[in-house]
Amino acid sequence: METSAAVNSAMGVSVMSDISDEENWSYSSSGVTDPMLIEEYNGKIYVYGSAFKVYNPANGTWAELTHSYNDEIVFCNGSFYAYYATWRADGDDYWAAMYGLSKYNISTNTWTTIESDDSGGFFDPAITVCDDRIYFGGGFEVIYDEPVKQDRYDVSYFDTSDYTWHKFNGVVGGGYTVAVLCEDAGAYYNDIFYVDGYCVTRFDTDTNTSTTIGYTDGYFYNPAYSLQHAAVYKNGTIYLAGRTDRESYNINKYNIADNTWSNIDSLVEADAYSMVEYNNKLYTWG
């Protein structure tokens, strides 16, 4: 699998005029920095980062949308959902956590807050989408009587079809975690793989059960010391890139069947904040 540093999408979108001609690109500036999500929906391209904008390829124009200013955003079941979690000092004795989930209405350009519960009280969680459900795994929770964070070891999901929360305890290693969904047909279809500072965990979304399938090798990858979200699953292999504690030009590769770690070709640019696979190539944004 080849790796490539994609055109700087932080400032715009690059579009192939013909998908069979990978050399023929056009560029349109959006003014959006630090993109967290780039999503195609109904023939338009949505970019969420320092601003929230939509690009119409039919006429080459951008339109600005209402921003939620939340920490995380995903696209699920035809809608955008934004999640935030923060904490603040509340008096001298304890800290108060604040978190929530909001849904974006494309037709009205408005956000609506969704009632949450403790299942959604994650800080720095690994968030992924499977069918109509948004999964939250790992991360931290606030210890209210002192200003510290404690690892969370559970997985919760929000069902967008009926607006209910579901929680499953003790299924991931906790702390900084990345998650990747297997969409390949086969034994792992619709399973979520969590990689944290201790182990690699397979979460079965059909039975809501988890299995530890391997352990992290700190020489290649130790997310306990760096928050990463750049992960891709392809043909029984998990690819991980980027870290925030220092520059890293490596893509780390975990083979599920063999339980082995290795490095592949170095990135052209460090700090890959997102990564996708297309036509057997990895494209990173940093």
Side-chain angles (χ1 to χ4, degrees), residues 192-267:
I192 300 173
F193 291 90
Y194 291 96
V195 185
D196 54 60
Y198 314 100
C199 59
V200 181
T201 303
R202 173 189 175 190
F203 184 80
D204 189 321
T205 59
D206 292 324
T207 62
N208 296 315
T209 57
S210 65
T211 306
T212 298
I213 61 173
Y215 293 89
T216 54
D217 185 337
Y219 176 76
F220 292 111
Y221 180 77
N222 192 345
Y225 300 103
S226 64
L227 178 59
Q228 292 187 264
H229 289 289
V232 165
Y233 175 95
K234 180 71 173 180
N235 295 335
T237 300
I238 300 172
Y239 297 87
L240 302 154
R243 49 191 302 160
T244 58
D245 59 335
R246 61 177 172 81
E247 287 191 341
S248 174
Y249 290 85
N250 293 325
I251 288 184
N252 303 304
K253 175 181 175 181
Y254 176 70
N255 185 293
I256 295 173
D258 297 339
N259 187 27
T260 56
W261 289 90
S262 60
N263 282 340
I264 59 176
D265 294 342
S266 296
L267 294 166

Side-chain angles (χ1 to χ4, degrees), residues 155-170:
V155 169
S156 294
Y157 74 77
F158 175 75
D159 192 327
T160 62
S161 65
D162 60 11
Y163 280 40
T164 57
W165 287 91
H166 306 263
K167 181 178 178 180
F168 308 95
N169 294 319

Side-chain angles (χ1 to χ4, degrees), residues 99-112:
Y99 50 87
L101 188 66
S102 299
K103 179 181 179 180
Y104 178 71
N105 187 317
I106 294 176
S107 61
T108 62
N109 188 30
T110 57
W111 290 89
T112 303

